[in-house]
Amino acid sequence: MSIRPHRTERAAFENFLLAHHERQTGALEVRSRPFMLLLDPASTCQLQCPMCPTGLENARQMPEGRKRYRQRTLLGRELFDAVLAELGDSLFFVHLYNWGEPLLNRDLTYFIHALAERGIATDTNTNLSLQLSDEAIDALVLSGIDRIEASIDGFSQESYGQYRIKGRFDLARDNLLRLARARDRLGSRLEVVWNYLVFRFNEHEIEAARDFCAQHGIEFVRREASISPELREQLLPSYRQGESLGGFNERCREPFIPAEIEARTAGSCAWHYLYSIVNADGSVSPCCAPWEDDWDMGTVSPGGTAFGDVWNNGMFQRARSDVAGHHLLAQLRQSGKLETIRTVGDFVHQGNICEGCQMPTPMLELYSHRADLVVDHFASQAANLYPDLAPLFGLVRSDPTAFSAAYAARLAPAGLPAPAPAPSWKRRLPIWMSKMVGGG
């Protein structure tokens, strides 16, 4: 299952359509705002998971001489209120999670209540390996959150503890069961989910976890983990032996071949138009893949820099203009710097992380399935309210080119500027990185 949109205000649907139109036409400075936001309640965690940057910091196992990946903090109410005041009318979804443990933030239920009051669907990922009182469990269930996913990788402490280092299997399992029982007792529609990342050491326990979930009304979700080369021998499941798992960092070590950039189809990325990330310290990341704060696009500050200021700054506009890397390559040729570029990483570091993006196509479209949910929601709950928008919603996901033409025709009577010709945004990049999944 997946959480469903709730809100039916016209402004949110109008923004949704505008965002898709601006993406299809390749707009650099946009008027739309994301329809989905990843908002991190905490950039800190109590565990030491070896594939998580926060866990690596906790274990003091930072690679390449780094001291930290990003500032460790908790999202404050002032920052949250500022973001919600600015984006609240456009958001259908807020995912309260990124690189930390959300339940460490005592204001989490405050955030959820505020979002739910605006009709914004919310979900989170948690490791659930914390001491939680009965009152805390009930408060979470009654907060208005739609879906809670708990990352519990194994069905014994022996297996679970090999990845969720410092975590307690029995505590996480029992907390998940307590959430399910509180949901039933309180008559909540909360979706309670067991996320199970499969590794070599826990693949034999998958069915035991699945059976447990079936007995207690918990959704079981099996996920494949993204595993670094250094940990493949230890973690890679038996059925994935021999598969290529080249990710962003591995790709950056490879020799740079300009012809590969020249062969790319120009396109755009959904992270530049449809969804975005605000971290606990207010920093805005280009997408959910980069661990390092080196790649952040700007920082939101209450009473200072608004999200919209970052969303349309020079870094984002350059990112929207050059996901394929063509402009960056031309600039390097013109400046004479191209001969100094030895690796893909050298090339990437000449611009921001989006210019000449090394992420696979699935990352560019990671949450686009939620756009389809908005379309379905409009058809079932709002088409009768706004019949003039129905033709556009009938095309927005199924035929982007026809949609954009229809949207432009709708703008013409109002005297608004006509859009530029629509480029193809469907990219055909090789898959260098396995799909990034998991969390908590």
Side-chain angles (χ1 to χ4, degrees), residues 81-115:
D81 290 342
V83 171
L84 183 59
E86 183 179 0
L87 301 182
D89 289 342
S90 64
L91 293 169
F92 283 94
F93 302 101
V94 168
H95 181 53
L96 290 164
Y97 171 76
N98 195 21
W99 291 119
E101 171 47 55
L103 293 180
L104 293 177
N105 193 320
R106 295 183 179 181
D107 285 327
L108 182 62
T109 55
Y110 169 86
F111 304 150
I112 298 168
H113 277 299
L115 293 165

Side-chain angles (χ1 to χ4, degrees), residues 193-214:
V193 184
W194 182 316
N195 270 342
Y196 194 109
L197 284 179
V198 182
F199 299 104
R200 180 178 305 183
F201 52 77
N202 68 13
E203 55 186 306
H204 64 290
E205 295 180 341
I206 294 172
E207 294 310 313
R210 191 192 306 274
D211 290 345
F212 177 89
C213 290

Side-chain angles (χ1 to χ4, degrees), residues 86-248:
E86 183 179 0
L87 301 182
D89 289 342
S90 64
L91 293 169
F92 283 94
F93 302 101
V94 168
H95 181 53
L96 290 164
Y97 171 76
N98 195 21
W99 291 119
E101 171 47 55
L103 293 180
L104 293 177
N105 193 320
R106 295 183 179 181
D107 285 327
L108 182 62
T109 55
Y110 169 86
F111 304 150
I112 298 168
H113 277 299
L115 293 165
E117 287 177 355
R118 299 289 290 264
I120 300 169
T122 60
D123 63 332
T124 193
N125 286 57
T126 169
N127 58 60
L128 270 187
S129 184
L130 309 93
Q131 295 290 345
L132 297 173
S133 67
D134 291 341
E135 292 77 15
I137 291 285
D138 285 1
L140 194 54
V141 170
L142 294 173
S143 65
I145 195 167
D146 294 271
R147 185 177 175 91
I148 297 175
E149 300 191 8
S151 295
I152 308 175
D153 314 314
F155 202 71
S156 67
Q157 181 63 36
E158 180 182 5
S159 59
Y160 166 88
Q162 293 190 51
Y163 186 76
R164 302 289 165 180
I165 297 171
K166 295 291 185 74
R168 285 177 48 193
F169 168 73
D170 58 344
L171 181 60
R173 178 203 58 202
D174 291 350
N175 281 338
L176 189 64
L177 181 58
R178 293 168 68 203
L179 282 171
R181 287 175 174 170
R183 171 202 62 192
D184 297 341
R185 172 170 50 83
L186 297 170
S188 169
R189 300 179 65 181
L190 171 67
E191 297 175 6
V192 179
V193 184
W194 182 316
N195 270 342
Y196 194 109
L197 284 179
V198 182
F199 299 104
R200 180 178 305 183
F201 52 77
N202 68 13
E203 55 186 306
H204 64 290
E205 295 180 341
I206 294 172
E207 294 310 313
R210 191 192 306 274
D211 290 345
F212 177 89
C213 290
Q215 293 171 20
H216 299 288
I218 298 169
E219 181 182 348
F220 180 81
V221 177
R222 169 178 172 167
R223 297 188 184 275
E224 300 299 333
S226 176
I227 301 175
S228 66
E230 295 81 7
L231 295 174
R232 288 180 192 176
E233 183 176 348
Q234 174 187 350
L235 301 181
L236 198 65
S238 60
Y239 56 87
R240 289 173 59 185
Q241 295 301 309
E243 87 177 25
S244 175
L245 292 175
F248 173 73

Side-chain angles (χ1 to χ4, degrees), residues 332-396:
L332 292 172
R333 279 204 172 105
Q334 185 175 10
S335 66
K337 291 183 179 180
L338 186 59
E339 295 181 358
T340 67
I341 305 301
R342 297 287 180 261
T343 67
V344 171
D346 293 340
F347 175 74
V348 171
H349 280 84
Q350 297 302 309
N352 63 52
I353 196 171
C354 302
E355 296 175 275
C357 175
Q358 300 299 310
M359 302 300 173
T361 302
M363 177 57 70
L364 275 61
E365 302 291 341
L366 190 61
Y367 288 103
S368 291
H369 64 284
R370 293 204 176 181
D372 296 329
L373 294 177
V374 174
V375 172
D376 294 342
H377 175 66
F378 176 87
S380 64
Q381 302 296 323
N384 60 326
L385 299 175
Y386 318 115
D388 59 311
L389 300 183
L392 295 173
F393 269 92
L395 295 171
V396 63

Side-chain angles (χ1 to χ4, degrees), residues 19-26 268-270 273-274 364-365 425:
H20 279 79
H21 175 66
E22 290 180 327
R23 183 188 183 193
Q24 181 65 15
T25 57
S268 69
C269 175
Y273 297 93
L274 305 185
L364 275 61
E365 302 291 341
W425 52 266

